[in-house]
Amino acid sequence: MAAVFLVMLYEYSPLFYISVISLCFVVTAAMVLGWFGFDVPVILRSSDETESVLPVPEKRMVQVTNPFALDMGTSGVASVTEGVSLRPCCLEPCVLSCYWGCGVHALQGALQTHQHGPSRLNTPQQFQEALHFQYHHCQSFHISGEDREEHYSEMPAELRITDFGHLPRERYPLVALLTLAEPEARDTYNIAASVTVVHVPDDKYSLEHV
């Protein structure tokens, strides 16, 4: 019986070799086509490639309403010595707090506290404490929901501050904070406050250099 099997294998061995070579060619061609982006049967793809084409789970988009907006005034006044005109536009009654000479590192620390702290900074008092009161002057304005008027802010002349030094500075000229005035409205919006850094020109820094 074994002799008969060996005789048959000898007679059909060329056909066996041809079949093996043809199968290897088909598999190799399929892999090459898959690398170049052509569609090939999944059974011929590697496990890594199969995992890479798995559908990405969809994320639900959530609509968020920003109750704050702040524009520069149209009066043309904008300097450290002459002050700045700001025009807030809010959907709810809010408080505009202007911090002159706010420390750069203090502001960064306050934002980190707001993001990673146990509670959000949604009042001017909480923001001042997070800044560790590292600013020269603070001025606040109460804004109604329909208020579209410009509000003028400046540092007191007795501070005798005309510039904040050369770049890079250790203090921002002006940081404008918008917070909701009513406690009930703070639970309605996901955005608790708006912080805007205003680069005000002075004797040693001009916006023309930006």
Side-chain angles (χ1 to χ4, degrees):
M1 187 67 181
V4 176
F5 177 75
L6 292 176
V7 172
M8 293 178 60
L9 181 61
Y10 176 77
E11 292 178 353
Y12 294 100
S13 58
L15 181 60
F16 175 76
Y17 292 146
I18 293 174
S19 301
V20 173
I21 295 174
S22 301
L23 180 61
C24 293
F25 174 77
V26 172
V27 174
T28 304
M31 294 177 62
V32 173
L33 292 176
W35 288 338
F36 283 95
F38 295 95
D39 191 17
V40 295
V42 178
I43 194 173
L44 298 177
R45 299 179 182 176
S46 64
S47 59
D48 295 338
E49 183 181 357
T50 304
E51 295 176 358
S52 63
V53 296
L54 292 177
V56 179
E58 297 183 358
K59 293 184 178 180
R60 184 179 179 183
M61 298 183 64
V62 179
Q63 182 178 0
V64 178
T65 302
N66 185 3
F68 308 109
L70 184 65
D71 296 327
M72 297 295 296
T74 58
S75 62
V77 177
S79 67
V80 171
T81 55
E82 298 181 1
V84 173
S85 180
L86 302 174
R87 184 165 60 90
C89 300
C90 303
L91 300 179
E92 303 283 347
C94 63
V95 178
L96 170 63
S97 302
C98 300
Y99 300 92
W100 287 91
C102 179
V104 173
H105 297 293
L107 177 60
Q108 295 174 354
L111 296 178
Q112 291 291 329
T113 302
H114 173 76
Q115 183 177 3
H116 303 290
S119 60
R120 301 189 301 176
L121 305 180
N122 51 18
T123 65
Q125 292 76 15
Q126 293 176 343
F127 190 76
Q128 292 173 13
E129 293 176 359
L131 289 174
H132 300 287
F133 300 94
Q134 294 187 23
Y135 52 85
H136 291 318
H137 176 67
C138 177
Q139 189 175 9
S140 299
F141 305 90
H142 291 273
I143 313 297
S144 64
E146 296 79 16
D147 189 357
R148 298 296 182 269
E149 298 180 358
E150 297 183 7
H151 297 270
Y152 178 73
S153 177
E154 64 177 343
M155 284 189 297
E158 55 266 22
L159 293 180
R160 300 180 181 226
I161 297 176
T162 59
D163 61 77
F164 290 97
H166 297 283
L167 300 179
R169 291 174 165 176
E170 297 182 356
R171 292 181 178 271
Y172 290 120
L174 176 61
V175 174
L177 171 70
L178 284 171
T179 54
L180 295 171
E182 300 177 355
E184 297 79 8
R186 298 168 191 162
D187 299 329
T188 305
Y189 297 92
N190 293 326
I191 300 178
S194 173
V195 178
T196 304
V197 177
V198 183
H199 294 279
V200 184
D202 55 31
D203 295 340
K204 296 183 179 179
Y205 176 76
S206 175
L207 294 179
E208 297 178 355
H209 298 159
V210 178

